[in-house]
Amino acid sequence: MTAPLLDVEHLTMRFGGLFAVNDLSFSAARGAITAVIGPNGAGKTTLFNCITGFYKPQVGRLTLRHPSRGEMLLERLPDHRITSRAGVARTFQNIRLFPRMSVLENLIVAQHTVLMRASGYSLAGLLGLARYRDAEAAAVDKARHWLDKVELTRHADDEAGSLPYGSQRRLEIARAMCTDPVLLCLDEPAAGLNPRESAELNTLLTGIRDEHGIGLLLIEHDMSVVMGISDHVVVLDYGRKIAEGTPAQVRADPAVIRAYLGEEEDEPLPPEVAQDLKGSGHA
Amino acid sequence: MAAAGSRMDLRRALADALVGGFVAAALAFPMLGFRLEDSSTGLSLGLRMGWVAAAAAVVFAGRLALTLLAGTRRPRSGPLERLGERFAGTRHWAGWAMIGLAAVLPFLPFADRNLVDKATMVLIYVMLGWGLNIVVGLAGLLDLGFVAFYAVGAYSYAILSETFGLSFWVCLPLAGLFAAGFGLALGFPVLRLRGDYLAIVTLGFGEIIRVILQNWVDVTNGPNGISGIDRPTLFGLSFSAMAPEGQPTFADFFGIDYSAEHRVTFLYFIILAMALLTNLFTLRIRRLPVGRAWEALREDEIACRSLGLNPTTVKLSAFATGAMFAGFAGSFFATRQGFISPESFTFIESAVILAIVVLGGMGSQIGVVLAALLLVGLPEWFRELQQYRMLAFGGAMVLIMLWRPSGLLASRSPTISLGAAK
C-alpha cells in the first residue's frame, strides 16, 4: 500500500466567525476518483480553494506526494506554483475559460510553464530559434490529443466563448489536463449537463483515471456521476466530515441521509430522490 | 394595418424629435443665445435668438430623420460597419500597402517639408499607440499615465546627451531601459489593482512624473525645459548646415547642396523604422508564451493562476514592455523637437494615446494607425477650423461609439491555428 497522493489533515478555514471547513481530514489516492459531496454551503468549494491555493487555511496541513518531485506542502505554495510545481490542476464551478481566445489557444496557454522555459523566457522565441518551434509543435500535439479526447477538434480555431455550455465544460477539463497534473480537482463538472453529456463526462473522467493514473478530486451534486464513477466518497456538512467510504457505504449511511433530507426519517423519500438513489446503484 | 402602424411610428418620431428640439433649444439658449456687443458705451449683452432657433430646428430635423431612417435600416449594416467588414478581409494586403506608401511618402511629388513633418508626428503617435496597445489591448491593464514613460524617455535622452555628450543612437536603448524600469516601478504597487482603480493610480503616476519634471529644477531645468538637444546623425554624418570640428555633414559627404529637408526626411525614416520595429515585435510576441499569457490575463486572471501562470510577472512584463516603447518614442520626440519641457507631457497626451488604442479597436495594429491618422493627422491638417476642431473631434467620437462601439477594426485573429483540422 503506497502513501496516498494527497493528505488533508485537520484543515480549518474560517471566515470571521464562520467555520467554512472545520477540522477536516481525508486522503485522495493516485489512480482513483475521490468525490466530495454535501449539501449547499457545506464547504466543498472552500476546500477546493484551499487545496489549489486560492485560500490559505488557518489550520491544517495539505501534503501532496508528487511521483517525481517528492513531497510538497500545498498550504505553503502560492496558487500558481501549486499548478506549475506541485501538479494540481482545477476547473471552476462557473466555467473560467479565456472566452475571446480560440479553443486551441486556451490549451496552449495551459502549457505556459513548459513553453516559457523552451522559449528561453521569450528571447529564443523572439529570434525564432528552432528549439522554441519544436516545443510549440509538441504543445500543439498535446493540445490536439486532448481536443480529440473531448471531441472538440473541429472547433479548435473557434472562440472558446462561442462554444455551447457542455463543450466549454469539456474544454476546461482538457485545459486543466494540458498542465500535466498529478491531481485534477473538478468543481461540479456535471452542472448544467444533460443526461447524455454527463454520461460522456463519466467516460472521460474514468478514462483519465485509468490511462493517466492520476488522482481526481470531484465536487458533484449529480448523484449519477458521483455514484457511478467515484471510488471513494467524502461527505461534508457544515464544514465537517460526516461520512466517508465507498459509494454504497455512503448511500446507506444514516448521517448522510439525515444531512440531505433533514431529521424527519419516518417521512418517505421524495420519489425522484428514491429513484435516483436506486437507479445509480447499478450504474 | 401597415398604414396605421406607420402613422403611429410617424407620430412617435415627431414627438421624439420635438423633445429633442426642446432640449436643444434649452441647451442652446445659454450657450448661443447671448452675445457680448462692443458698443461705444461699453460692453452690452445682446440676444441672438435666431441661432437658438436654428440649433433647435437642426436637432429636430436630424432627430426626425434618424428615427425614421432607423426604422428602415437593418442592424449591423451601417456604412462604417460595412467598411470595417470589407477592410477586415483585405487587412493583410492593406497593411503592406500602408507600409509601402509610408516608405515612399517623402519622395512623392506633392510631399513637402510640412507634410513629412506632420507624418512624423503621426508616426510618433502610431508608435505610442502600438506601445500602449501591449498594455491595454493585449494585457487589458487600463493605463491612463502612459505619457509618463514617454516623458522619461525624452528626458533620459536629453539629460544623458547634455551631461555626457552621448549620441542619439547610444541613448535610444538607454532611454528605453530607463522607461522600462519606471514601468516596473509603477507595476509593483499596482499589482493588486484592476480596472478603474488601476486607471486612477496610473493617472496619478503620470501626474507625479510631470510634477517632478516641473519642480526638480537642478536636473530637469524645471518649466523652462531643456533646449539645444543633439540631433541624430547617420553613421556620424550630421544634418546641420555647418558641421562642428571639421566633421563631415551629410550634404558634404554625398556632394549635394545642403537642404533642411534632408534632416526632416531622415527623422521621418527613423521614426518609421522604430514604429515598424514596434509592430514587428508586437506581432511576434503575441505568438510567444508571454504574449499569450498577456491575453489570457486580460481574459481571466483567476483562470491564469489556476494554470500556473504567475500574474505578477505577466503584469510586470506587460508594463515594462509597453513603457520601453514609450521610452523609445520619447527619446525620438526629444531629438526631433530639440527642446522639451514638462508641458509636452500633460494628461491630455495620455488621453489621446489611449483614445487612439480604443478607437482603433483594442489589440488591432492597423486600427491604431487609422485612429492615429484620424486623431492626430486630421487635426493637424485642419488647423484652419480653429475652435471647431474639438467639436468635430467630439462628434467623430460619438459617431464611432454609435456605429463601432468596440473600435474601428475590432477583430482578433488567433495566434495559432490547427490548420490541418479544418
Side-chain angles (χ1 to χ4, degrees):
Chain A
M1 180 75 197
T2 54
L5 177 62
L6 174 76
D7 262 328
V8 176
E9 291 163 277
H10 305 292
L11 184 74
T12 300
M13 181 75 209
R14 229 176 24 236
F15 296 105
L18 178 81
F19 285 82
V21 175
N22 194 355
D23 197 22
L24 174 69
S25 303
F26 71 92
S27 313
R30 188 170 298 132
I33 297 178
T34 308
V36 179
I37 64 170
N40 284 326
K44 305 183 296 290
T45 299
T46 306
L47 165 68
F48 258 41
N49 283 339
C50 288
I51 293 174
T52 52
F54 283 79
Y55 296 156
K56 292 293 164 210
Q58 279 95 5
V59 184
R61 196 159 71 162
L62 299 156
T63 318
L64 185 102
R65 297 182 184 82
H66 195 286
S68 53
R69 296 180 199 145
E71 240 178 64
M72 274 169 271
L73 294 178
L74 298 185
E75 77 274 10
R76 297 194 184 163
L77 290 176
D79 47 17
H80 59 92
R81 299 277 292 162
I82 287 182
T83 308
S84 62
R85 173 97 194 122
V88 177
R90 75 170 292 179
T91 65
F92 294 87
Q93 195 173 344
N94 42 349
I95 306 174
R96 285 185 176 275
L97 292 170
F98 304 123
R100 278 183 299 168
M101 299 175 83
S102 77
V103 168
L104 181 63
E105 282 174 310
N106 267 273
L107 299 185
I108 300 287
V109 169
Q111 304 175 50
H112 180 81
T113 317
V114 178
L115 285 175
M116 200 65 181
R117 211 167 290 136
S119 75
Y121 299 90
S122 299
L123 285 177
L126 267 182
L127 300 173
L129 298 188
R131 188 163 70 120
Y132 173 66
R133 283 206 303 274
D134 295 346
E136 197 182 60
V140 171
D141 280 343
K142 185 192 275 180
R144 196 196 299 264
H145 168 80
W146 282 105
L147 284 174
D148 288 340
K149 266 265 162 73
V150 298
E151 290 161 17
L152 286 173
T153 314
R154 261 179 341 111
H155 301 288
D157 298 333
D158 295 350
E159 270 189 11
S162 70
L163 294 180
Y165 193 80
S167 307
Q168 293 197 12
R169 283 246 174 250
R170 294 205 305 278
L171 176 59
E172 207 189 14
I173 295 173
R175 189 180 67 177
M177 285 308 294
C178 277
T179 64
D180 280 331
V182 292
L183 177 68
L184 176 63
C185 301
L186 302 159
D187 197 345
E188 297 198 23
L193 299 189
N194 64 35
R196 190 178 56 83
E197 285 173 327
S198 71
E200 284 170 6
L201 179 77
N202 285 359
T203 324
L204 176 66
L205 296 186
T206 47
I208 289 175
R209 174 191 63 190
D210 299 338
E211 282 170 39
H212 295 263
I214 67 170
L216 282 86
L217 197 60
L218 185 76
I219 292 179
E220 193 46 75
H221 280 298
D222 186 333
M223 286 302 150
S224 74
V225 174
V226 173
M227 296 303 166
I229 63 171
S230 40
D231 304 292
H232 190 77
V233 180
V234 178
V235 190
L236 299 188
D237 194 21
Y238 294 111
R240 287 181 176 280
K241 182 171 76 179
I242 57 169
E244 184 175 17
T246 62
Q249 286 168 344
V250 164
R251 195 164 37 215
D253 195 310
V256 177
I257 296 170
R258 212 166 33 242
Y260 268 91
L261 304 171
E263 296 287 349
E264 302 288 332
E265 276 181 65
D266 40 4
E267 233 178 84
L269 292 177
E272 63 271 22
V273 176
Q275 203 184 356
D276 245 18
L277 291 176
K278 205 159 56 200
S280 51
H282 57 79
Chain B
M1 275 303 279
S6 70
R7 205 178 315 134
M8 277 298 289
D9 280 352
L10 186 64
R11 187 179 298 168
R12 200 171 299 147
L14 271 173
D16 180 61
L18 267 178
V19 172
F22 273 122
V23 171
L27 280 176
F29 181 66
M31 290 198 277
L32 298 174
F34 297 105
R35 179 187 162 80
L36 277 181
E37 274 159 8
D38 197 4
S39 59
S40 52
T41 55
L43 288 176
S44 65
L45 202 58
L47 285 175
R48 42 178 194 198
M49 296 316 281
W51 286 48
V52 177
V58 165
V59 169
F60 173 78
R63 183 78 207 173
L64 189 64
L66 256 184
T67 329
L68 291 181
L69 281 179
T72 59
R73 196 171 63 102
R74 289 168 157 275
R76 283 189 58 80
S77 65
L80 269 173
E81 190 80 35
R82 275 198 303 271
L83 187 74
E85 265 157 27
R86 190 173 308 164
F87 197 72
T90 56
R91 188 173 302 181
H92 191 68
W93 175 86
W96 283 108
M98 277 174 153
I99 293 174
L101 181 67
V104 297
L105 180 76
F107 308 116
L108 294 178
F110 58 83
D112 53 359
R113 183 180 170 166
N114 189 17
L115 178 84
V116 177
D117 220 28
K118 280 171 181 166
T120 309
M121 206 61 215
V122 171
L123 277 174
I124 292 181
Y125 280 91
V126 169
M127 180 162 174
L128 285 170
W130 278 339
L132 184 62
N133 212 355
I134 292 175
V135 186
V136 178
L138 292 185
L141 303 164
L142 188 51
D143 186 350
L144 285 180
F146 198 60
V147 78
F149 308 124
Y150 186 42
V152 167
Y155 272 87
S156 305
Y157 169 55
I159 293 169
L160 282 175
S161 115
E162 293 253 299
T163 324
F164 302 105
L166 297 175
S167 84
F168 174 70
W169 298 109
V170 178
C171 291
L172 183 66
L174 288 178
L177 277 182
F178 277 127
F182 271 81
L184 286 180
L186 168 66
F188 266 113
V190 301
L191 277 174
R192 291 165 168 278
L193 305 178
R194 287 190 68 85
D196 313 356
Y197 302 100
L198 177 68
I200 292 168
V201 174
T202 52
L203 171 69
F205 182 79
E207 285 301 290
I208 289 171
I209 295 283
R210 194 179 58 82
V211 170
I212 289 176
L213 293 179
Q214 204 141 34
N215 291 290
W216 197 6
V217 180
D218 296 345
V219 177
T220 66
N221 204 18
N224 297 329
I226 300 176
S227 57
I229 300 169
D230 247 5
R231 303 302 191 145
T233 58
L234 176 70
F235 300 111
L237 300 174
S238 83
F239 283 83
S240 45
M242 299 279 279
E245 299 150 28
Q247 284 170 352
T249 67
F250 177 77
D252 287 345
F253 189 83
F254 287 96
I256 46 177
D257 289 336
Y258 168 77
S259 156
E261 275 182 37
H262 290 159
R263 177 161 66 209
V264 175
T265 313
F266 178 56
L267 285 172
Y268 172 79
F269 278 114
I270 293 180
I271 187 67
L272 181 62
M274 281 165 61
L276 287 180
L277 271 178
T278 312
N279 184 31
L280 189 70
F281 178 89
T282 312
L283 292 181
R284 208 131 209 178
I285 205 143
R286 262 195 75 204
R287 295 166 182 280
L288 289 178
V290 200
R292 294 204 187 100
W294 288 339
E295 290 202 69
L297 184 79
R298 175 193 70 201
E299 298 288 299
D300 196 324
E301 182 174 339
I302 290 179
C304 277
R305 281 154 56 188
S306 85
L307 295 175
L309 278 69
N310 184 349
T312 307
T313 52
V314 176
K315 276 185 194 174
L316 287 182
S317 60
F319 264 121
T321 314
M324 180 178 75
F325 287 113
F328 289 151
S331 68
F332 175 81
F333 177 76
T335 194
R336 170 183 181 260
Q337 303 292 97
F339 166 74
I340 50 170
S341 75
E343 261 179 48
S344 310
F345 308 106
T346 50
F347 168 68
I348 191 72
E349 295 293 316
S350 289
V352 167
I353 304 166
L354 186 66
I356 286 174
V357 173
V358 174
L359 193 65
M362 298 247 241
S364 162
Q365 296 291 94
I366 288 192
V368 166
V369 179
L370 291 183
L373 277 172
L374 210 67
L375 290 188
V376 182
L378 283 188
E380 287 285 329
W381 267 285
F382 291 101
R383 273 197 182 278
E384 303 84 62
L385 289 179
Q386 301 276 341
Q387 70 256 44
Y388 298 108
R389 240 172 14 144
M390 286 324 266
L391 189 69
F393 189 84
M397 285 296 219
V398 170
L399 287 183
I400 299 270
M401 271 190 280
L402 282 176
W403 276 310
R404 309 267 317 160
S406 49
L408 287 174
L409 296 174
S411 74
R412 179 182 179 280
S413 53
T415 60
I416 189 166
S417 74
L418 212 57
K422 285 248 161 176

